[in-house]
Amino acid sequence: MAKKVAIIGAGVSGLASLKCCLDEGLDPTCFEKSDGIGGLWQFREIPKERRTNVYKSVITNTSKEMTSFSDFPFPEGCPNFLHHSVLLEYLRTYAEHFQLLDYIHLKTTVCSIQKHPDFIATGQWVVCTEKDGQRESAIFDAVMICSGRYAEPNLPLDSFPGIKKFKGRYLHSWEYKNETEYEGKRVLVLGAGNTGGDIAAEVSRTAAKVFLSTRSGTWVLSRISDAGWPFDMVFTNRFTNSIRELLPKGIQKRMLTKIFSQWFSHENYGLIPLESSWIPLILNDELPSRILCGSVVVKPNVKEFTETSVIFDNGTIEKDIDAVIFATGYTPSFPFLEETLQSACRNNMSLYKQIFPPHLEKHTLAIIGFIAVTGSIMPAVELQARWVTRVFKGSCKLPATDRLMSEIAKVKEDLRKQGIPSDKDKVRTGFIDYMDNIATCIGAKPNVPLLFLTDPKLAFEVFFGPCTSYQYRLTGPGKWEKARTTILTQWDRALKPLKTRVVHASPKNSSISCWLVVLGLPFLGAALLTFKYLPPSWLPWIK
């Protein structure tokens, strides 16, 4: 008999988990408390309590080829960066194509998930749900939690003295809809993450003035790279990743700083990040021009509020503030779990590979999508789901509990040595490293050296081209026959929506330069290894 799996949430993670369950012959049931699929990508004019809501103008920060599920590419006519409505339609099409809708129970709230009395022997869970006022309980062999990361808006009022006596309006970014309600007003945006940058730039189109307060600063990158290609398609590749891993940390940071500074001087714009071990960055094509035009003014951290004014850490005061928007993120919450499990799952770095609570007697509960990677989260959660469902099925095995705990401790220690607190929501795992790590557990990581021997054309694109999710369908369980063709045509799909005006094609570059790169790789690798492990005495600044 197929194992029964409960899936909590029908957003990106839930849909990927549902599909992977079916691929592995499991019997899934998905519970979604809203009236539709798509999770946070559902836009609502009136936000609902405890429901994360995108604002009207949201565009993805990752391009369609880097965002796509591994066996379901976006239509070639889709723009490279997607409006939330386009992404939601993609998810709906995905659910229909793989016949997932029949397994989803809408308007059903999960009230509790508790261990079955025989959990130590069976690993089963009792899931209590409520729909239309009626409660039901059912027993499942495994549970995949696919919601909760963006459950609770983080509104740190205690960190801002005087905010309670402020007479203007203050709100969290989840309540924000569009810029029209701030016309002619003086607005303060707290937080310079992706959301804070987006809202500051958008509100400045109609507001009298927008002040963007940042505690630590941030790098601002454009979605557009050289020659107009999507930024992530150009820079997220195995070649660049390999070089970065060979270089000492000090050189890595200097190289990234130089790349990030090419667009504009962050120091001149007041955005230069403070010295730290982690590198904050956002994607925003409009914010620098709004700052240059004076519509947005960058300010340091807020010291305190008065009834109508804001006093900043540097002693400057801005008067007659009408509204304050807290772009201060979210706090993860899993209220349906037992208290001991809630504590264990409060921080993703305390989970094995950021998925499995390590202390359970039976590893039949997984949290999908509770990660932050330096790329699109959609391929990452899909790969998580592929591995987890194989673990539930018994095709993949987890190490013993002490090994799980040991690996988690090692990861935290590595972060500590880098000066990155593992208990903070600032840990962004390298996209390629994480994908390869999980793919290795499945047996789906592409063998690049072997590809260079057996299929040089494909190998060249896999190593030097964008690390798209299709690479993890070339081999192993879940192999997709169209993966090779999809990889070789990914640049064509990126170009397709741009070719709306026919022009004469310019001569293409000779392929000789490509082979020069390939032939020069051994020498480059040897040089980098020498620099890493035997730095010359005349380079004392290499650490």
Side-chain angles (χ1 to χ4, degrees), residues 2-19:
K3 291 185 176 181
K4 296 177 63 179
V5 180
I7 298 171
I8 318 303
V12 167
S13 300
L15 294 176
S17 298
L18 187 50
K19 193 254 184 186

Side-chain angles (χ1 to χ4, degrees), residues 247-251 254 531-532 535-536 538-543:
L247 292 172
K249 295 292 184 183
I251 294 182
R254 286 178 175 85
F531 270 81
K532 183 174 179 66
W538 45 272
L539 286 178
W541 46 272
I542 295 181
K543 297 180 180 179

Side-chain angles (χ1 to χ4, degrees), residues 191-218:
N194 279 304
T195 299
D198 283 350
I199 291 176
E202 183 169 282
V203 169
S204 70
R205 299 172 196 164
T206 59
K209 185 74 72 175
V210 173
F211 303 95
L212 177 61
S213 171
T214 173
R215 185 192 305 271
S216 56
T218 186

